[in-house]
Amino acid sequence: MFKRVLLALLFVLPAFALAQGTPAPKAPAAKPAAAQKKTAVPATAKPAAKPAAKPAAKTTAKEAAKVADGAAPAANKVLVKTSQGDITIELFPDKAPKSVENFLTYVKSGFYSGTIFHRVIPGFMIQGGGFSADLRQKKTRAPIAIESRNGLSNLRGTVAMARTLDPNSATAQFFINTVDNPRLDYANDANPGYAVFGKVVAGMDVVDKIRAIPTGPKGPFAGDVPTTTITIEKVSVVE
């Protein structure tokens, strides 16, 4: 009888142990807005430390393409005319409403005309929209709250808000990912990433042309400034 009870326990205990799953981590609360200063994206292309908790599900390249192709709710498009050629960007107001509204406010006011792509890092991204050709930073509107927890990933061709170390400091500057940069996605509150709000749907050849231009130190920057000035002549909404 004792042997039968002992044998029964040996079968029950493993099943009980497998049922003790680790509870899923609670989603961190969003942070309030703050103020911005200068540049944006991480100073190097080194990957950030891996978070303990898994980030929210990301949009794959295929899914992002579907959004760009119109499978998702209709989005606005803007035409970025540069001294190197034209770039068409589709915006995702359903995924990043504050970022898109903020960007379009700058577009419609003519803010971007005469600004430059002041930071180019091969194999990473190109950044612009905040400095004039003489590398003077333009006065901006108040910063916006970060929207990096929107499921969009920093894949090649996506456009994201640039910011300082303060997550809620994005104003006018933006960057275009020239390669897949998933390490720039939201991971947790300590590593909030960068908010994707659009995607290049035409003109990636122009983006690649810009990223290939030699860079060096200039003005207040220790490096990464294109030796050939890349001017954003005009950004306009595509009707």
Side-chain angles (χ1 to χ4, degrees):
M1 178 67 179
F2 177 75
K3 287 183 178 181
R4 291 181 181 177
V5 172
L6 181 59
L7 185 59
L9 285 174
L10 288 175
F11 281 104
V12 171
L13 287 176
F16 180 76
L18 288 173
Q20 304 304 298
T22 304
K26 294 183 179 179
K31 291 184 176 180
Q36 170 172 22
K37 290 186 181 177
K38 273 192 179 179
T39 45
V41 183
T44 65
K46 293 181 180 179
K50 291 183 179 179
K54 291 184 179 180
K58 302 296 186 301
T59 299
T60 64
K62 187 174 181 180
E63 291 170 333
K66 286 183 179 180
V67 174
D69 289 339
N76 299 294
K77 287 184 180 179
V78 297
L79 177 64
V80 182
K81 297 187 72 66
T82 81
S83 55
Q84 295 293 320
D86 294 351
I87 302 169
T88 302
I89 298 172
E90 186 159 16
L91 307 175
F92 303 145
D94 57 320
K95 294 286 188 178
K98 294 177 182 176
S99 300
V100 169
E101 180 183 11
N102 174 72
F103 181 70
L104 287 176
T105 298
Y106 284 111
V107 168
K108 293 173 182 178
S109 70
F111 178 92
Y112 290 120
S113 298
T115 59
I116 62 172
F117 280 98
H118 65 278
R119 191 167 180 231
V120 171
I121 302 178
F124 189 27
M125 57 89 222
I126 64 174
Q127 180 181 331
F131 287 83
S132 58
D134 58 359
L135 292 176
R136 293 187 180 183
Q137 188 171 20
K138 296 187 67 173
K139 185 176 181 181
T140 62
R141 294 161 47 85
I144 60 172
I146 192 169
E147 293 182 304
S148 56
R149 297 178 64 184
N150 59 16
L152 295 175
S153 181
N154 282 271
L155 303 176
R156 171 174 161 79
T158 56
V159 187
M161 295 303 303
R163 61 172 177 78
T164 65
L165 292 177
D166 180 353
N168 302 295
S169 60
T171 54
Q173 292 185 47
F174 59 92
F175 65 94
I176 302 174
N177 289 289
T178 58
V179 297
D180 289 352
N181 290 312
R183 63 184 175 277
L184 299 184
D185 298 344
Y186 174 87
N188 51 38
D189 278 357
N191 185 13
Y194 296 81
V196 172
F197 67 95
K199 179 179 176 65
V200 174
V201 292
M204 271 306 290
D205 57 327
V206 176
V207 174
D208 288 335
K209 187 190 302 184
I210 293 173
R211 75 167 179 171
I213 292 175
T215 61
K218 188 176 181 182
F221 299 102
D224 302 324
V225 181
T227 53
T228 298
T229 301
I230 306 164
T231 306
I232 297 176
E233 298 169 352
K234 184 180 181 180
V235 183
S236 55
V237 176
V238 177
E239 300 296 342

